[in-house]
Structures are given as C-alpha cells and as structure tokens.
Amino acid sequence: MSARILVVDDVPANVKLLEARLSAEYFDVMTASNGTEALAISRRAECDIILLDVMMPDMDGFEVCRRLKTDPATHHIPVVMVTALDSPADRNRGLEAGADDFLTKPVSDVVLIARVRSLTRLKMMTDELRMRAITSLEIGMQTPERSAVADTGKGGRILLVDDRESSYERLATILAAEHTIDVEPNPTEALFHAAEGNYDLLIVSLDLNNFDGLRLCSQARSLERTRHVPILAIADPENSTRLLRGLEIGVNDYLLRPIDKTELLARARTQIRRRRYTDHLRDNVQNSIEMAITDALTGLHNRRYMESHLATLAEQASIRGKPLALMILDIDYFKSINDNYGHDAGDDVLREFAVRVRKSIRGIDLACRYGGEEFVIVMPETDLHVAGMVAERLRRSIAGEPFAIHKGTKRIEVTISIGLTTLERKGEAVADVLKRADTALYRAKHDGRNRVVSQAA
C-alpha cells in the first residue's frame, strides 16, 4: 500500500529520520520545512497524509492543523502531529485543532507505520468517494465539504462495549455530555446491537472478560450494516501490541487507560465528523446515480435507463421462454393543456399521471418517461391478455378522475391513448418491439384517442 506522505519539520535531522523510516516501507515521501510551505503543498492535493511537527518558527503545528481542517480543500487529509511535547494538554490541543493522532517523540517505528497504514486505507476510501461525487457539482448538487468543515462532531449516537462496570459508567458519563450513549456490557450481544442501532461510533474495550475484543472489531468490519461505522478501541497500556493489530484489521483510533476526559471527547468528535462526511459523500454518489437514471419531474425512470434495462429484460425473457409486454402511453391533447392553462399546469398533470401509473402497476414492472408526454411501461412475464387488462385499468384511472392543477384551484379532464404489444419471439430486437408498440399507439390516436390498441407480434 503506497501513499504520499508529507513530513513537515524545520529540523533537517528529524526530516531525514522520518523520511528513511517511511521510504523503507515504500511510501513516497515529500518534505516541507515550515507551515506555509506545507499548506501550499496540501492545497495542490499532492499528499495523502501529513506528519506535522508542532514547534516551528513561522507558524506552529497547531495553527497549521487548524487551517488544514477548516479549509474545504484540505480538511479530509489525515494529520498526525509528531512532537516532543507529551503533556495531556498539548495532546488535547492538537486533537482539538483537528489532528487525527498525536504521536510523541521518539516514535516507535512499529507504531508510526501502523498508524500511517491505517490512515492511508481511510484516505484512499475517502478519495474514491470524493472522486465519484465530483459530478455532484456538475449537476447542481450541494458539495458536503463546507458542511463537514462546520460540523462540530457533537450529537452523535455511540455504542460503548465494555463489561467492567466501573469503566463503562465513567466513560458513559463523560460521553453523555456531548452525545447519546448506549452501553452494551454483554459482548456476545454487541454485534447485533451495533447492527440495529444506526450508530455513528463504536467504542470497544479490548480487555473484555472471556471475549476477544479484536474479534468483535473484525466482525463489525465484515458485517454490511456496520462496515463503515468508525471504531475507537480502548485498552490497558500493556495491550498496546493488540492495539496495533487492531489498526491492521480496521480499528480507526485508540486510547490507552487511564482515559483522559478531554482526549476521549476530542477523538470521538473526530471520528463522528469523519463518519458524517463519508456518509454525505456516499449519499451524493447515490443521488448522482439516481439523477442520471431518473426523470426529475415525475420521479419515474428516464429514457436512458429504459433503453438499457429493457434490453436486459428482453434477454432474460428470451432465455427463460417467458412473455414480456410493453406499452407506450401518450397523454391526449397535452399541448392544449400547456397552451390553455400554462406549462405549470402541464407539469402538475405529468406529476399526477406518474402517481397514478405507479398505483396501477406491479413492483416488478418498469415505468419510464419516454419523452415529453409519452411514457413506456415494461411488464415482465406478462402476456398480451393480462397486459391489456392492466392497460385498460390504467386508462380508466386516468379518465375517471379529473386532474388538479394550479395548486388544486382548478380541475381538468385528462385521457390517454395506449399502444400495447409483447415480445414473444426469441431473440427479437428491442427496437422492433418498441416500433410495434408505437404503431399500435398511432392507431389508438387515429381511432379517436382514450383507448387501448394491442398489436400482436
């Protein structure tokens, strides 16, 4: 696993030492000797992780970290503060500035590499989501970057898994000041509890009685419903080796006992902020996909989706020897609705039409807006007779009740014409089926509209 590591330190000897350690593990290392240079490199997106010294002449590491984490362009880059300062106050100051970790010099090679690898995995996952969500900006969706910067990390839902009463009572009291906290003292029930609870963070003690806390962490990573929930592990100092193993299997962060109150809250906020940010990215990706295949006005699938999915449905029908019905629907005299009542009224009719279509078809049927006032419905495993009954029911539902327009102040009569056919010959081209349905629709229009016309293959 390679990554670009930016080492920021004004002491050349420190830089060379870290560079040698990281290069030996095949990381690409770049360096900066001051905060201003580090910020410039970061804004150009040239690094994946930043190892940041605190004591620097022009701008100390706390200020550099604060600027990185409040800039929408750089807030997602993991920052590890590496310093000789080792007091709880200094560590908490770094975490409050947004640092992902705070390592005290001299740093163990094992701890350093384990932490860098863990954060590299996280950064690569975030980068993948960010790359997929780039189109969100192009199609007008809101970027989650600024909301992520403004997020305090408070108000999260946390599950604490700890079977020592004295421990979980103290931790729960601390966390309850900023979050909703549930305690699960029974580790055998913890995974089920985590999967059902929609949590923002799992805090797991690795010193459970008669249960392997790391196995619980591993199971949480393998389960779909908890795969993306961050895990904060807690252990006694003598279990630091197990913590490093935890980082390898997907633990996001850790704390050693005795737990400092301020540090616990700071690390919890960091993990919750990151969870919310990645959730926003995933939502943007999902929404982008939906917008690409969905008609914005009616909420039905669009023509692009219909054309690709119809080919798949036709192939499945041919392989299984099952019929496939297809109907093209057209709203009668739709142009006159726009001309007489305005395009807003036309939009009202289209939206209500889509609602009635959904109520008249099955869940396995595919309803699409084909263009303008034309719609297509594809019905798998449906012969011409049954499809004709569905089409007639749909025609009656449209003609049987007037459509409300202008926010319900006026109601107008609407009818539709339907052309219906089926795919029954194995290997028949989808274009031929659409053309046959369109011919049937033309006949319905020619014969007086507000009717269903079927055309067999």
Side-chain angles (χ1 to χ4, degrees):
M1 181 188 302
S2 183
R4 298 163 298 176
I5 314 297
L6 173 61
V7 176
V8 187
D9 198 316
D10 63 322
V11 179
N14 292 341
V15 172
K16 288 188 177 297
L17 180 60
L18 284 173
E19 187 174 12
R21 290 176 174 178
L22 295 165
S23 296
E25 297 294 327
Y26 303 103
F27 291 107
D28 293 330
V29 182
M30 58 186 70
T31 64
S33 59
N34 57 67
T36 302
E37 187 181 357
L39 291 172
I41 292 173
S42 302
R43 289 193 186 106
R44 293 196 299 266
E46 293 180 1
C47 60
D48 295 308
I49 299 173
I50 301 170
L51 300 183
L52 179 62
D53 186 36
V54 171
M55 308 302 293
M56 293 186 295
D58 68 326
M59 185 190 313
D60 69 24
F62 298 125
E63 177 62 17
V64 175
C65 185
R66 187 192 66 78
R67 294 192 186 189
L68 286 166
K69 293 300 183 179
T70 54
D71 186 341
T74 58
H75 80 96
H76 62 284
I77 303 175
V79 176
V80 179
M81 307 197 82
V82 184
T83 177
L85 302 175
D86 62 353
S87 72
D90 291 319
R91 183 166 60 249
N92 292 334
R93 187 180 172 194
L95 294 171
E96 291 290 349
D100 296 85
D101 207 349
F102 195 100
L103 300 180
T104 304
K105 298 176 182 177
V107 180
S108 158
D109 285 2
V110 175
V111 172
L112 174 66
I113 299 305
R115 205 68 183 101
V116 167
R117 283 178 175 160
S118 172
L119 291 170
T120 296
R121 284 193 296 269
L122 179 67
K123 174 65 162 46
M124 288 181 173
M125 179 195 72
T126 304
D127 282 350
E128 178 69 17
L129 286 172
R130 292 180 77 242
M131 184 171 60
R132 292 180 185 179
I134 287 296
T135 52
S136 301
L137 296 176
E138 299 172 359
I139 59 179
M141 293 176 59
Q142 184 179 4
T143 172
E145 310 292 339
R146 294 197 176 277
S147 60
V149 168
D151 191 353
T152 63
K154 297 181 180 180
R157 284 180 48 80
I158 299 176
L159 177 64
L160 171 61
V161 184
D162 193 341
D163 56 7
R164 284 195 268 179
E165 186 174 359
S166 60
S167 173
Y168 67 67
E169 284 185 348
R170 176 174 179 269
L171 296 178
T173 301
I174 294 171
L175 293 164
E178 296 184 356
H179 309 281
T180 300
I181 177 76
D182 291 336
V183 177
E184 179 52 79
N186 183 354
T188 60
E189 296 291 328
L191 192 62
F192 174 79
H193 198 160
E196 295 296 317
N198 191 29
Y199 290 102
D200 299 302
L201 176 65
L202 304 181
I203 301 180
V204 180
S205 170
L206 299 189
D207 306 303
L208 300 167
N209 292 317
N210 303 316
F211 197 92
D212 187 349
L214 283 182
R215 182 167 298 281
L216 176 60
C217 296
S218 176
Q219 290 171 338
R221 279 291 163 264
S222 65
L223 191 66
E224 178 65 29
R225 298 180 70 175
T226 56
R227 182 166 298 158
H228 303 298
V229 181
I231 300 173
L232 175 62
I234 294 177
D236 292 327
E238 58 269 21
N239 277 345
S240 58
T241 302
R242 281 170 53 76
L243 279 172
L244 298 179
R245 175 66 177 144
L247 292 174
E248 294 177 3
I249 65 173
V251 169
N252 299 82
D253 202 357
Y254 63 86
L255 280 167
L256 295 175
R257 292 188 173 95
I259 303 299
D260 178 80
K261 171 184 175 180
T262 306
E263 184 174 357
L264 171 62
L265 289 172
R267 291 188 185 272
R269 286 194 295 268
T270 295
Q271 295 304 320
I272 290 171
R273 274 197 302 267
R274 182 177 289 126
R275 165 67 190 272
R276 289 170 177 168
Y277 174 58
T278 54
D279 281 352
H280 282 315
L281 286 175
R282 288 191 185 93
D283 289 344
N284 269 21
V285 171
Q286 183 61 35
N287 289 338
S288 298
I289 294 171
E290 290 177 1
M291 290 181 73
I293 64 174
T294 304
D295 175 62
L297 180 64
T298 64
L300 300 177
H301 290 298
N302 60 19
R303 181 169 182 162
R304 177 193 302 174
Y305 181 83
M306 186 276 294
E307 289 175 344
S308 62
H309 196 57
L310 175 57
T312 302
L313 291 175
E315 182 181 2
Q316 291 176 349
S318 294
I319 292 172
R320 297 171 183 170
K322 300 288 186 179
L324 178 77
L326 183 146
M327 63 180 83
I328 299 182
L329 307 80
D330 186 273
I331 300 176
D332 297 327
Y333 304 110
F334 185 74
K335 183 177 183 299
S336 67
I337 296 175
N338 283 330
D339 292 344
N340 294 329
Y341 302 104
H343 288 278
D344 287 346
D347 289 349
D348 290 338
V349 169
L350 290 171
R351 279 190 288 264
E352 174 61 21
F353 178 78
V355 170
R356 297 191 194 184
V357 166
R358 288 194 193 93
K359 290 180 179 178
S360 300
I361 62 176
R362 304 166 298 178
I364 64 170
D365 298 332
L366 174 65
C368 307
R369 185 180 180 189
Y370 197 51
E373 67 273 23
E374 279 195 341
F375 296 79
V376 171
I377 297 175
V378 185
M379 307 182 70
E381 300 187 16
T382 307
D383 61 24
L384 197 61
H385 174 69
V386 173
M389 294 171 59
V390 174
E392 182 59 31
R393 184 175 69 225
L394 179 56
R395 185 199 64 77
R396 288 198 303 268
S397 78
I398 300 301
E401 183 180 351
F403 280 57
I405 60 173
H406 297 159
K407 298 182 178 179
T409 59
K410 186 182 290 292
R411 300 175 74 82
I412 60 174
E413 301 291 333
V414 176
T415 63
I416 59 171
S417 300
I418 301 176
L420 174 64
T421 191
T422 57
L423 168 77
E424 291 180 341
R425 295 197 307 272
K426 188 172 183 178
E428 184 179 15
V430 165
D432 292 342
V433 182
L434 281 167
K435 185 176 181 179
R436 196 162 56 248
D438 193 56
T439 300
L441 173 65
Y442 178 80
R443 282 179 47 203
K445 293 280 190 181
H446 184 268
D447 292 348
R449 294 181 168 83
N450 190 23
R451 67 192 62 222
V452 178
V453 171
S454 301
Q455 184 163 322

